Amino acid sequence: MSQELWNEVDRYICDRLLGEDPALEAALAASDAAGLPPIAVTANQGKLMQMLARLRGAGRILEIGTLGGYSTIWLARGLEPGGRLVTLEVNPRFAAVAAENIDRAGLGDVVEMRVGPALETLPALVDEGAVFDLIFIDADKANYPGYFEHSLELSRPGTVIIADNVVRDGAILQSGGGNGPDAENIRGVQRLYELLAAEPRVSTEVTAIQTVGSKGHDGFAVALVT
Ligand code: SAH
Ligand code: DHB
Ligand code: MG
């Protein structure tokens, strides 16, 4: 209904505050040309996450759901000097596109991609004793509860956990996720809210914000691990 207006306002914001960025624009163009779905974060969302990384002083970032590496590039640019980002992607074709995009952005040595189902690659990170300062959850929504539980194991006090797509056009209001094709995903997000509210390490330091913009009506949750 207001989508055209939201698009124009996002354009207004980005034109004034973000400026040209050849590497990010090339990442989107290459993702599009390779047929990846156009579901990356928007530029102004990416910038916000980069700023959250800077505010946190993040030296280690974990991303769950790489797609073409667009949000990866934003986040990796927010790392402290010498920092590292690990990103998890199940689709080898997407991962190959992302690797090229990340290399083109000059971040090939900073970003490590692990290809496989995140519910398999996350326990490996836990076994390695990995700890992250910022974790961005953005893969399949049905598995958000599992991603959050693993993220807690990969956190320390002060870790910021961000989850994308926690509003989905208001679909979260549908009891039990509704009966539509997206029900499993909606239930995953609803369960994430329950876990965020119940987990003593985040329950006092968590919120979610609904957003409108060129990606429609959606939102993100932000939690600080205490
Ligand atoms: N963060 C990206 C968008 C991610 S879209 C950006 O904003 O630029 C969600 C991604 O999660 C897709 O690439 C999809 O292939 C991936 N994904 C889906 N299920 C997954 C799983 N089980 N493990 C890891 N990645 C998964
Ligand atoms: C979808 C996934 C996302 O991470 C997103 O931001 C938007 C849409 C999807 O799977 O449809
Ligand atoms: Mg998303």
Side-chain angles (χ1 to χ4, degrees):
M1 183 69 168
S2 300
Q3 186 60 58
E4 264 177 46
L5 178 64
W6 301 340
N7 293 348
E8 279 183 43
V9 173
D10 258 358
R11 209 171 302 125
Y12 182 101
I13 293 167
C14 294
D15 282 353
R16 279 157 189 78
L17 303 182
L18 272 62
E20 307 264 298
D21 198 307
L24 284 168
E25 279 150 32
L28 285 183
S31 300
D32 205 42
L36 272 56
I39 56 176
V41 296
T42 61
N44 40 340
Q45 289 171 340
K47 180 89 179 272
L48 176 65
M49 291 203 299
Q50 182 190 87
M51 290 173 63
L52 290 171
R54 290 241 169 87
L55 289 165
R56 172 61 285 170
R60 297 270 301 163
I61 296 177
L62 173 65
E63 175 179 68
I64 309 172
T66 315
L67 191 65
Y70 183 77
S71 54
T72 318
I73 294 169
W74 276 113
L75 282 166
R77 288 176 174 175
L79 283 164
E80 292 281 286
R84 303 265 299 161
L85 184 150
V86 177
T87 185
L88 311 180
E89 173 56 52
V90 71
N91 186 316
R93 203 169 63 79
F94 295 178
V97 174
E100 278 194 34
N101 288 336
I102 291 161
D103 282 345
R104 194 189 297 108
L107 293 164
D109 294 335
V110 170
V111 175
E112 178 192 344
M113 196 156 10
R114 298 198 182 187
V115 182
L119 287 179
E120 291 175 19
T121 48
L122 284 164
L125 285 169
V126 174
D127 287 346
E128 292 163 27
V131 176
F132 295 93
D133 306 308
L134 186 148
I135 300 174
F136 178 46
I137 302 175
D138 195 24
D140 51 319
K141 318 309 165 195
N143 284 318
Y144 270 25
Y147 298 154
F148 175 67
E149 297 285 11
H150 285 103
S151 294
L152 281 174
E153 295 184 78
L154 294 163
S155 295
R156 60 171 176 81
T159 297
V160 176
I161 300 176
I162 306 170
D164 194 24
N165 310 114
V166 300
V167 173
R168 306 216 110 201
D169 261 315
I172 49 163
L173 300 181
Q174 294 172 43
S175 167
N179 307 308
D182 216 20
E184 215 191 323
N185 292 325
I186 297 166
R187 273 199 300 276
V189 173
Q190 290 169 332
R191 180 75 189 130
L192 174 67
Y193 278 92
E194 291 172 13
L195 293 172
L196 289 168
E199 168 54 47
R201 277 175 287 173
V202 306
S203 60
T204 63
E205 308 290 336
V206 60
T207 191
I209 293 291
Q210 56 181 335
T211 55
V212 294
S214 50
K215 285 190 69 186
H217 173 210
D218 212 325
F220 55 89
V222 182
L224 175 64
V225 178
T226 60

